[in-house]
Protein backbone atom coordinates (compact mmCIF):
# COMPACT_ATOMS: atom_id res chain seq x y z
CA UNK A 1 0.00 0.00 0.00
CA UNK A 2 1.19 3.48 -0.86
CA UNK A 3 1.09 6.08 1.88
CA UNK A 4 1.01 9.88 1.82
CA UNK A 5 0.92 11.77 5.11
CA UNK A 6 1.14 15.47 5.90
CA UNK A 7 4.13 15.15 8.23
CA UNK A 8 4.66 18.92 8.30
CA UNK A 9 1.17 19.45 9.68
CA UNK A 10 1.64 16.74 12.30
CA UNK A 11 4.96 18.21 13.42
CA UNK A 12 3.53 21.73 13.57
CA UNK A 13 0.45 20.70 15.53
CA UNK A 14 2.52 18.60 17.94
CA UNK A 15 4.79 21.56 18.59
CA UNK A 16 1.81 23.82 19.29
CA UNK A 17 0.44 21.16 21.66
CA UNK A 18 3.67 21.11 23.66
CA UNK A 19 3.96 24.90 23.79
CA UNK A 20 0.34 25.29 24.90
CA UNK A 21 0.60 22.55 27.51
CA UNK A 22 3.84 23.72 29.11
CA UNK A 23 2.84 27.37 28.77
CA UNK A 24 -0.45 26.66 30.51
CA UNK A 25 1.26 24.76 33.30
CA UNK A 26 3.75 27.60 33.74
CA UNK A 27 0.95 30.16 34.01
CA UNK A 28 -0.88 27.94 36.51
CA UNK A 29 2.27 27.85 38.64
CA UNK A 30 2.50 31.61 38.38
CA UNK A 31 -1.12 31.96 39.55
CA UNK A 32 -0.29 29.84 42.57
CA UNK A 33 2.63 32.11 43.48
CA UNK A 34 0.46 35.21 43.06
CA UNK A 35 -2.24 33.75 45.29
CA UNK A 36 0.23 33.61 48.19
CA UNK A 37 1.47 37.14 47.57
CA UNK A 38 -1.30 39.18 49.14
CA UNK A 39 0.66 42.34 49.89
CA UNK A 40 -0.99 43.90 46.85
CA UNK A 41 -4.75 43.58 46.58
CA UNK A 42 -4.61 43.30 42.79
CA UNK A 43 -2.50 40.14 43.06
CA UNK A 44 -5.56 38.06 43.92
CA UNK A 45 -7.33 39.26 40.79
CA UNK A 46 -4.22 38.58 38.72
CA UNK A 47 -3.98 35.12 40.25
CA UNK A 48 -7.53 34.29 39.17
CA UNK A 49 -6.92 35.64 35.66
CA UNK A 50 -3.70 33.64 35.39
CA UNK A 51 -5.52 30.55 36.67
CA UNK A 52 -8.20 30.87 33.97
CA UNK A 53 -5.66 31.51 31.21
CA UNK A 54 -3.38 28.70 32.34
CA UNK A 55 -6.23 26.22 32.52
CA UNK A 56 -7.47 27.26 29.07
CA UNK A 57 -4.02 26.84 27.50
CA UNK A 58 -3.49 23.50 29.24
CA UNK A 59 -6.84 22.24 27.93
CA UNK A 60 -5.99 23.34 24.37
CA UNK A 61 -2.58 21.70 24.61
CA UNK A 62 -4.05 18.50 25.97
CA UNK A 63 -6.66 18.33 23.21
CA UNK A 64 -4.02 18.86 20.52
CA UNK A 65 -1.70 16.32 22.14
CA UNK A 66 -4.49 13.74 22.18
CA UNK A 67 -4.86 14.02 18.41
CA UNK A 68 -1.33 14.72 17.23
CA UNK A 69 0.96 13.07 19.82
CA UNK A 70 -0.87 10.39 21.79
CA UNK A 71 -0.37 6.83 20.59
CA UNK A 72 -1.85 5.21 18.67
CA UNK A 73 -2.01 8.29 16.46
CA UNK A 74 -4.74 7.99 13.84
CA UNK A 75 -2.51 7.85 10.75
CA UNK A 76 -0.15 5.30 12.31
CA UNK A 77 -3.05 3.15 13.49
CA UNK A 78 -4.55 3.07 9.99
CA UNK A 79 -1.17 2.39 8.40
CA UNK A 80 -0.65 -0.62 10.67
CA UNK A 81 -4.22 -1.87 10.24
CA UNK A 82 -4.05 -1.71 6.43
CA UNK A 83 -0.55 -3.17 6.10
CA UNK A 84 -0.52 -5.83 3.43
CA UNK A 85 -2.74 -4.18 0.85
CA UNK A 86 -1.08 -3.89 -2.56
CA UNK A 87 0.09 -0.72 -4.31
CA UNK A 88 -3.28 -0.31 -5.98
CA UNK A 89 -4.34 1.14 -2.63
CA UNK A 90 -3.21 4.62 -1.54
CA UNK A 91 -3.87 6.03 1.93
CA UNK A 92 -3.92 9.83 2.31
CA UNK A 93 -3.62 11.33 5.80
CA UNK A 94 -4.36 15.03 6.48
CA UNK A 95 -3.89 15.92 2.82
CA UNK A 96 -7.45 16.06 1.48
CA UNK A 97 -10.61 17.90 2.56
CA UNK A 98 -11.12 15.16 5.19
CA UNK A 99 -8.43 13.59 7.36
CA UNK A 100 -8.18 10.00 6.12
CA UNK A 101 -9.03 8.66 2.66
CA UNK A 102 -8.11 5.36 1.02
CA UNK A 103 -8.02 5.18 -2.77
CA UNK A 104 -8.87 1.66 -3.96
CA UNK A 105 -9.43 0.12 -7.40
CA UNK A 106 -13.19 0.31 -6.76
CA UNK A 107 -13.44 3.86 -5.37
CA UNK A 108 -12.73 5.81 -2.20
CA UNK A 109 -13.08 4.90 1.47
CA UNK A 110 -13.27 7.63 4.13
CA UNK A 111 -12.20 6.74 7.67
CA UNK A 112 -13.55 8.61 10.69
CA UNK A 113 -11.06 7.78 13.43
CA UNK A 114 -11.94 7.87 17.13
CA UNK A 115 -9.40 7.19 19.90
CA UNK A 116 -11.81 6.77 22.84
CA UNK A 117 -11.50 3.91 25.30
CA UNK A 118 -14.10 2.28 27.56
CA UNK A 119 -17.47 0.84 26.63
CA UNK A 120 -19.13 2.53 23.66
CA UNK A 121 -22.56 1.56 22.41
CA UNK A 122 -24.92 2.46 19.57
CA UNK A 123 -28.63 1.77 19.87
CA UNK A 124 -31.64 3.23 18.05
CA UNK A 125 -29.57 5.90 16.36
CA UNK A 126 -27.90 7.09 19.57
CA UNK A 127 -24.29 6.83 20.70
CA UNK A 128 -23.34 6.41 24.35
CA UNK A 129 -20.03 6.16 26.17
CA UNK A 130 -20.11 4.56 29.61
CA UNK A 131 -18.89 6.70 32.50
CA UNK A 132 -15.78 5.56 34.39
CA UNK A 133 -13.25 6.92 36.88
CA UNK A 134 -10.42 6.45 34.37
CA UNK A 135 -12.39 8.57 31.92
CA UNK A 136 -12.77 11.29 34.57
CA UNK A 137 -9.09 11.25 35.54
CA UNK A 138 -7.56 10.77 32.11
CA UNK A 139 -9.98 12.51 29.80
CA UNK A 140 -8.73 16.09 30.11
CA UNK A 141 -8.69 17.62 26.68
CA UNK A 142 -10.21 14.62 24.93
CA UNK A 143 -12.98 15.49 22.52
CA UNK A 144 -16.46 14.19 23.21
CA UNK A 145 -17.64 11.07 21.44
CA UNK A 146 -20.22 13.01 19.47
CA UNK A 147 -22.03 11.13 16.70
CA UNK A 148 -19.32 9.28 14.74
CA UNK A 149 -21.62 7.91 12.03
CA UNK A 150 -23.15 11.32 11.38
CA UNK A 151 -19.69 12.89 11.27
CA UNK A 152 -18.63 10.22 8.77
CA UNK A 153 -21.68 10.89 6.60
CA UNK A 154 -20.72 14.57 6.55
CA UNK A 155 -17.13 13.76 5.56
CA UNK A 156 -18.32 11.50 2.75
CA UNK A 157 -20.50 14.37 1.52
CA UNK A 158 -17.47 16.69 1.66
CA UNK A 159 -15.46 14.31 -0.53
CA UNK A 160 -18.34 13.99 -3.01
CA UNK A 161 -18.51 17.76 -3.28
CA UNK A 162 -14.74 17.95 -3.66
CA UNK A 163 -14.84 15.66 -6.70
CA UNK A 164 -17.57 17.68 -8.37
CA UNK A 165 -16.20 19.56 -11.41
CA UNK A 166 -12.75 18.00 -10.84
CA UNK A 167 -13.31 14.73 -12.69
CA UNK A 168 -15.64 13.53 -15.40
CA UNK A 169 -18.70 11.72 -14.07
CA UNK A 170 -17.91 12.00 -10.33
CA UNK A 171 -21.07 10.01 -9.59
CA UNK A 172 -19.28 6.96 -11.01
CA UNK A 173 -16.82 7.03 -8.07
CA UNK A 174 -18.27 5.11 -5.10
CA UNK A 175 -17.37 6.62 -1.72
CA UNK A 176 -17.77 4.35 1.30
CA UNK A 177 -16.90 5.05 4.92
CA UNK A 178 -15.91 3.35 8.16
CA UNK A 179 -15.85 4.58 11.73
CA UNK A 180 -12.61 3.23 13.22
CA UNK A 181 -11.82 3.06 16.94
CA UNK A 182 -8.07 2.88 17.55
CA UNK A 183 -7.71 2.54 21.32
CA UNK A 184 -7.10 -1.16 22.15
CA UNK A 185 -9.06 -0.76 25.41
CA UNK A 186 -12.32 0.17 23.68
CA UNK A 187 -15.27 -2.20 23.92
CA UNK A 188 -17.91 -1.77 21.23
CA UNK A 189 -21.58 -2.72 21.42
CA UNK A 190 -23.02 -1.65 18.08
CA UNK A 191 -26.55 -2.42 16.86
CA UNK A 192 -27.35 -1.79 13.18
CA UNK A 193 -25.27 1.33 12.52
CA UNK A 194 -25.92 3.40 9.42
CA UNK A 195 -22.26 2.92 8.43
CA UNK A 196 -19.74 0.23 9.41
CA UNK A 197 -18.08 0.63 12.84
CA UNK A 198 -14.92 -1.38 13.59
CA UNK A 199 -11.81 -1.55 15.73
CA UNK A 200 -8.45 -1.22 13.98
CA UNK A 201 -7.65 -4.89 14.58
CA UNK A 202 -10.73 -5.86 12.55
CA UNK A 203 -10.45 -3.25 9.81
CA UNK A 204 -8.46 -5.19 7.21
CA UNK A 205 -10.61 -8.33 7.42
CA UNK A 206 -13.80 -6.26 7.33
CA UNK A 207 -12.67 -4.43 4.20
CA UNK A 208 -11.83 -7.71 2.49
CA UNK A 209 -15.14 -9.33 3.43
CA UNK A 210 -17.35 -6.42 2.41
CA UNK A 211 -17.97 -6.76 -1.30
CA UNK A 212 -17.73 -3.55 -3.30
CA UNK A 213 -18.69 -2.65 -6.85
CA UNK A 214 -16.82 -3.16 -10.09
CA UNK A 215 -13.27 -1.95 -10.60
CA UNK A 216 -13.13 1.57 -11.99
CA UNK A 217 -11.88 2.08 -15.52
CA UNK A 218 -8.13 2.77 -15.83
CA UNK A 219 -8.88 6.23 -17.21
CA UNK A 220 -11.14 7.17 -14.29
CA UNK A 221 -8.70 5.76 -11.74
CA UNK A 222 -5.83 7.72 -13.27
CA UNK A 223 -7.88 10.89 -13.28
CA UNK A 224 -9.04 10.34 -9.70
CA UNK A 225 -5.54 9.76 -8.38
CA UNK A 226 -4.27 12.82 -10.25
CA UNK A 227 -6.89 14.98 -8.53
CA UNK A 228 -6.04 13.56 -5.10
CA UNK A 229 -2.28 13.91 -5.61
CA UNK A 230 -2.66 17.50 -6.82
CA UNK A 231 -4.65 18.41 -3.73
CA UNK A 232 -2.17 16.58 -1.49
CA UNK A 233 0.75 18.44 -3.04
CA UNK A 234 -1.02 21.77 -2.54
CA UNK A 235 -1.53 20.96 1.15
CA UNK A 236 2.14 20.14 1.72
CA UNK A 237 3.26 23.42 0.19
CA UNK A 238 1.03 25.60 2.36
Amino acid sequence: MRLSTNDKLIERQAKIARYATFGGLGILLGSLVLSFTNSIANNILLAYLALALGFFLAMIGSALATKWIKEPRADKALEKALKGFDNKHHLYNYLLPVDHVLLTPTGLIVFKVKNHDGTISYRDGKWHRAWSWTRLLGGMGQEGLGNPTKELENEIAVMRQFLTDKIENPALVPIDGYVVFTDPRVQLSIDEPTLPVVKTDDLKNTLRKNKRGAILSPKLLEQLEHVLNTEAHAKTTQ
Side-chain angles (χ1 to χ4, degrees), residues 37-56:
T37 308
N38 54 14
S39 58
I40 302 176
N42 288 337
N43 279 0
I44 299 300
L45 177 59
L46 289 174
Y48 280 117
L49 290 175
L51 178 64
L53 177 60
F55 185 76
F56 175 76

Side-chain angles (χ1 to χ4, degrees), residues 110-215:
V110 175
F111 298 115
K112 184 62 184 179
V113 178
K114 294 287 184 177
N115 63 355
H116 300 77
D117 60 3
T119 301
I120 294 174
S121 60
Y122 178 85
R123 294 285 186 280
D124 300 323
K126 296 181 180 180
W127 287 87
H128 177 71
R129 185 184 181 196
W131 187 90
S132 67
W133 283 105
T134 54
R135 176 181 168 188
L136 177 65
L137 297 175
M140 178 181 176
Q142 185 176 61
E143 67 174 354
L145 176 63
N147 188 330
T149 45
K150 183 62 177 178
E151 294 168 15
L152 178 56
E153 289 173 3
N154 291 339
E155 293 197 356
I156 291 174
V158 168
M159 282 304 299
R160 290 193 188 281
Q161 182 61 39
F162 169 73
L163 294 181
T164 302
D165 299 329
K166 287 187 169 61
I167 64 172
E168 298 176 7
N169 300 317
L172 296 180
V173 179
I175 305 180
D176 299 326
Y178 288 76
V179 176
V180 183
F181 284 87
T182 59
D183 195 303
R185 298 166 296 177
V186 72
Q187 298 178 15
L188 299 178
S189 178
I190 308 298
D191 183 26
E192 297 184 356
T194 54
L195 289 166
V197 180
V198 297
K199 298 171 65 174
T200 46
D201 290 345
D202 304 321
L203 179 58
K204 184 192 293 185
N205 288 336
T206 302
L207 287 174
R208 285 175 169 167
K209 288 178 182 177
N210 288 352
K211 294 183 178 180
R212 306 189 74 209
I215 294 176

